[in-house]
Amino acid sequence: MGPFAAVVVDALAAPPDPELRDRLGPELHDRLRAVLRERACAWAREVAGERAGEAAGARALGALLEGHDGPVLLAAPDVPGLGPHHVRAARQDLEDGVELAFAPAGDGQPFLLVLARAEPAWLAEVGAPFDRLARVAGDPRGPFGMLRPERRLATVADARALRADPVAPRELRDLLPATL
């Protein structure tokens, strides 16, 4: 198995929640999203070094990953719990012969995709529901990996849960008002 490429992909994020923006105010909301994105990008850089990047969606991935022949990690920018445990699990799945693995968020959509290679047909489906990606990847009875789920920080309920979670990243908890 070659080295990972890791990309933060906006298409894997939850849609913006206007209620969260209203409750936090535009400035704090944008700051929170920027901190989340920087955390995801730092994770990608730690995993992949110079093979880390950012992409809005599936179209940009092809160009970004051109020439990379190793495994690929694609992550949403809105998951505070993204961490090294996901990389270890992804590596183990790939070593076990899994071609495609994912980590679901509470909304049932993947926030992390693990691809054995930068297959153009797979990359074209990034952001689509997982069942569609699985069909494109091959036999749905074949081995798919499932990594640890995490909660997004996308809604008021997510923000309240994160604020109350003593093991959540302190920098994010501190950004959130106690009176959400």
Side-chain angles (χ1 to χ4, degrees):
M1 174 174 42
F4 279 113
V7 183
V8 175
V9 183
D10 292 342
L12 293 175
D17 179 11
E19 182 183 3
L20 181 61
R21 187 174 182 84
D22 289 346
R23 292 275 182 100
L24 295 177
E27 186 176 313
L28 180 54
H29 180 266
D30 292 350
R31 170 94 175 102
L32 182 63
R33 290 183 66 87
V35 169
L36 278 167
R37 173 176 291 285
E38 181 46 44
R39 289 177 55 80
C41 289
W43 174 86
R45 287 188 302 273
E46 186 174 313
V47 169
E50 66 185 39
R51 291 175 306 278
E54 295 180 69
R59 290 183 190 181
L61 283 171
L64 189 63
L65 294 171
E66 188 173 339
H68 177 73
D69 77 4
V72 178
L73 298 175
L74 305 174
D78 61 352
V79 177
L82 184 64
H85 52 285
H86 291 106
V87 179
R88 287 189 299 272
R91 189 177 313 281
Q92 185 62 57
D93 275 3
L94 291 168
E95 288 172 1
D96 289 344
V98 170
E99 295 275 307
L100 172 68
F102 77 106
D107 59 8
Q109 294 302 311
F111 72 85
L112 178 64
L113 291 173
V114 180
L115 310 175
R117 62 193 165 283
E119 181 70 42
W122 298 352
L123 297 176
E125 297 297 328
V126 169
F130 181 75
D131 60 336
R132 195 162 107 196
L133 178 62
R135 279 193 304 273
V136 170
D139 183 354
R141 295 178 310 257
F144 290 104
M146 186 167 167
L147 284 65
R148 175 179 152 172
E150 298 288 346
R151 187 174 194 141
R152 295 182 190 279
L153 179 45
T155 67
V156 172
D158 295 336
R160 287 179 180 147
L162 185 125
R163 182 85 169 103
D165 183 352
V167 298
R170 185 164 190 75
E171 69 180 313
L172 293 171
R173 283 194 341 247
D174 290 349
L175 281 174
L176 296 168
T179 58
L180 256 176

